[in-house]
Amino acid sequence: MGAGPAGSMTARTAAERGLEVLLLERELEVGVPDKCGEYLPSLEEMRRLVPEAVGLEGLFDPPSRCIVNSTKYVKFVFPNDHEVAVPFRGVVVERKLFDKHLANEAARAGAKIATLTKVVDLLEDMKGVRVRDVDGERDIHARIIVAADGAYSLVARRAGLPVSRDPLDYGVGYQYEMVNVDHDPEYVDMFLGEDIAPGTYAWIIPKGDDVANVGTGVRVPYMKPGMGIRDYQRNFVEGNRLSSEKLRRAVPTAVKAGCIPVGGAMERTCVENVLAVGDAAGHTIPTVGGGVPPALICGRIAGEAIARHLNEGEALARFDGTWRSQMGKVLENSLRMRRMSDVAFKNKRVIDIVTRRGWLTEEMVMKFVLCDMDAKMRLMEKTLGLMRRV
Ligand SMILES: Cc1cc2nc3c(=O)[nH]c(=O)nc-3n(C[C@H](O)[C@H](O)[C@H](O)COP(=O)(O)OP(=O)(O)OC[C@H]3O[C@@H](n4cnc5c(N)ncnc54)[C@H](O)[C@@H]3O)c2cc1C
C-alpha cells in the first residue's frame, strides 16, 4: 500500500513475476501532492554510493521527460561561512511525473492501482487491510501486505514493527518551489547550522532556468523555543546573508512540506506476512534525508522477496537480510555521520575547531557525501564524541 517510489517499485517487481498485486493509494492522483527536493544522484554516483546494490541500471534511468535539470556539484555552506563544493552528478526530476511513471510501469506489469483508497487499519489476523474509499469502508484480504505508506507508517506500527517514536529520528522539511532564483543550475547548495536548519540543513536545488526548490529542514527537538519550521524557512529565504542574494527576487509558486525519517532503518522490517519498505522502514539516507534511491532499491528487493516466497516457498523474512546486504552499510554509515554532524554543527566553537583541524576539506566532504566511513572518518567520529560537551 502507498503508491510512492517504494510501493510502485515493489508492485512492479512482484507483478513482473506473475503475482496478483493491488496498490492502494489514499490520494486522488499518484504523485500528487509531491513533497520532495526532487534530487537524485546519477547512476554513476549511485554505483559509488552503494557498490553492493544489484542492478542499479534499471532503477536510475528516469525517462527524459521526468528530468528537468542535471547538476554537477554539491556545495556545502558551513555555519562559519566556509564553503566546500565537490563533484557529484545528479538529476532533478519532476516528482509528480516520476512517481506517475513508476506507477504506470507497475500497472503495465499487471498491478492494479486503486487511488482515493485510504488504508485505515491492518486486519487483526494481518491477512488484509481495512480501507475507506468513495463507497465507504471495506476489508481487502491478501497473502502479503506491504507497508509502503511513508514515514511513521500506520501499517508497520499496526503490525508491531519497531517504528521509532523519537522525534529526533525525524526531520521536517518545508520547501517552496521558486521562480526568479539567481543560482548556478549545476550546483546543489546545502546550508548547515543550528541557526539556519537545526539538526539538518537548508537547500537550493535548481530545476533549470531560474526555477529552484528552496527548502529548510529541522529536527523539532533542536528548534529554538518560539520558532516554527516556517520561521526558519522565512529566515532562510529572506534573512540569510549567504542565500538572500540568490533569492532576492525569488517568488514562491508552490509550498511542499513533509516528514523524513533520519534515524536509520528499523531493526526489523518483516513480521509474519507484512513487509515494510521505503520511508515506512526508515530506508532513508540520514545525513541528507534522501529517500527515493533506497525506496527504489529496497522496493525491488521487496518485490523479489515476495515472489520467491509465494512462488518458491522461500522465507519472507529473507527480505530483511537481502536489503541489508545491499543497502545496510550505506544507511548505517550515514547514520553515524548524521550523529557526527549533530555534534559538529551545533556549536560555533566546535565548528571552528573542526575547520582549524582541516576536517572541512573537499576530501572529507566527499567521504561524507559517499558515506565512506574510513579510518580518518572514524577518528573524526571519536574526536567529535569527546567534543559532545564542548
Ligand atoms: C521536503 C522534502 C524534501 C525531500 N527531498 C528529497 C530529495 O531531494 N531526494 C530524495 O531522494 N528524497 C527526498 N525526500 C524524501 C523522499 O521524498 C522520500 O524518502 C520518498 O518519497 C520515500 O518514498 P516512499 O515510497 O517510501 O514514500 P512516499 O513517497 O511518502 O509514498 C508513500 C505513499 O503512501 C501513500 N499513503 C500514505 N498513507 C496511506 C494510507 N493510509 N493509505 C493509502 N496510501 C497511503 C501516500 O499518499 C504516498 O503516495 C524529501 C522529503 C521531503 C519531505
Side-chain angles (χ1 to χ4, degrees):
M1 54 159 296
S8 289
M9 189 50 73
T10 308
R12 171 186 166 174
T13 311
E16 281 170 347
R17 283 152 183 75
L19 302 183
E20 200 182 326
V21 180
L22 175 60
L23 192 51
L24 303 169
E25 170 56 52
R26 69 178 170 194
E27 302 292 344
L28 269 169
E29 184 175 356
V30 172
V32 182
D34 68 306
K35 305 171 224 165
C36 192
E38 305 179 296
Y39 176 77
L40 302 181
S42 69
L43 173 61
E44 290 68 34
E45 304 300 5
M46 284 307 300
R47 286 196 181 113
R48 290 206 289 164
L49 187 62
V50 275
E52 292 88 4
V54 177
L56 293 174
E57 296 70 28
L59 299 179
F60 293 93
D61 57 350
S64 55
R65 68 191 158 74
C66 299
I67 299 176
V68 291
N69 188 30
S70 297
T71 58
K72 290 188 180 159
Y73 304 94
V74 177
K75 184 160 86 183
F76 286 73
V77 183
F78 295 101
N80 56 357
D81 294 1
H82 184 66
E83 294 184 2
V84 180
V86 291
F88 189 81
R89 288 180 182 265
V91 294
V92 185
V93 294
E94 193 67 56
R95 259 302 284 273
K96 293 184 199 77
L97 297 181
F98 185 57
D99 282 23
K100 185 69 75 66
H101 156 73
L102 294 170
N104 287 349
E105 289 293 294
R108 287 183 186 118
K112 299 266 183 299
I113 302 175
T115 55
L116 206 55
T117 305
K118 182 177 181 176
V119 173
V120 292
D121 212 346
L122 180 67
L123 300 185
E124 221 161 282
D125 62 3
M126 303 218 283
K127 299 252 168 63
V129 288
R130 173 149 310 145
V131 301
R132 188 183 309 131
D133 62 13
V134 284
D135 297 320
E137 285 200 3
R138 69 199 155 94
D139 293 348
I140 296 178
H141 299 274
R143 285 197 284 170
I144 306 293
I145 315 286
V146 177
D149 47 341
Y152 205 58
S153 159
L154 169 89
V155 173
R157 278 182 286 135
R158 291 281 200 271
L161 286 167
V163 177
S164 173
R165 291 172 194 273
D166 182 348
L168 270 180
D169 286 341
Y170 296 91
V172 181
Y174 195 88
Q175 176 185 274
Y176 299 146
E177 184 173 312
M178 303 187 93
V179 65
N180 286 344
V181 178
D182 187 9
H183 181 74
D184 186 333
E186 293 189 340
Y187 280 79
V188 168
D189 282 6
M190 296 169 63
F191 299 79
L192 294 103
E194 277 309 272
D195 295 336
I196 297 173
T200 73
Y201 62 95
W203 61 87
I204 300 179
I205 299 176
K207 290 190 75 170
D209 296 330
D210 56 352
V211 176
N213 286 327
V214 177
T216 308
V218 298
R219 297 213 334 274
V220 171
Y222 287 157
M223 290 199 301
K224 289 197 185 90
M227 290 274 284
I229 174 79
R230 285 184 298 158
D231 299 314
Y232 283 98
Q233 170 75 348
R234 197 175 311 115
N235 288 349
F236 177 61
V237 172
E238 292 168 13
N240 183 277
R241 203 162 34 81
L242 301 168
S243 60
S244 58
E245 197 48 37
K246 297 178 178 202
L247 303 175
R248 202 164 34 91
R249 293 186 321 109
V251 175
T253 55
V255 176
K256 304 170 184 190
C259 178
I260 313 162
V262 294
M266 291 191 313
E267 275 161 35
R268 231 167 2 109
T269 53
C270 177
V271 53
E272 294 183 26
N273 54 317
V274 179
L275 291 185
V277 66
D279 277 12
H283 288 147
T284 313
I285 298 173
T287 36
V288 291
V292 177
L296 295 174
I297 295 170
C298 297
R300 188 159 70 185
I301 296 170
E304 288 167 351
I306 294 165
R308 278 201 301 273
H309 173 64
L310 294 178
N311 294 339
E312 299 159 30
E314 185 180 287
L316 189 63
R318 290 282 290 273
F319 164 65
D320 208 87
T322 311
W323 76 252
R324 279 181 212 281
S325 69
Q326 296 190 31
M327 277 297 304
K329 195 160 138 214
V330 68
L331 296 184
E332 266 169 41
N333 284 351
S334 176
L335 180 60
R336 286 166 72 177
M337 289 180 180
R338 197 226 69 207
R339 290 187 177 131
M340 289 161 66
S341 318
D342 285 354
V343 181
F345 305 125
K346 218 174 153 64
N347 179 323
K348 293 220 166 58
R349 278 181 62 200
V350 178
I351 296 155
D352 288 336
I353 296 169
V354 167
T355 313
R356 272 204 308 276
R357 288 196 173 196
W359 282 346
L360 301 183
T361 59
E362 201 179 308
E363 183 203 355
M364 292 308 268
V365 168
M366 201 66 225
K367 288 183 203 299
F368 183 81
V369 170
L370 292 175
C371 302
D372 178 7
M373 202 73 202
D374 71 349
K376 266 190 185 171
M377 269 289 172
R378 288 198 297 274
L379 176 65
M380 189 165 158
E381 181 184 43
K382 214 167 166 182
T383 316
L384 283 170
L386 298 174
M387 285 184 192
R388 237 170 244 285
R389 286 163 199 275
V390 171

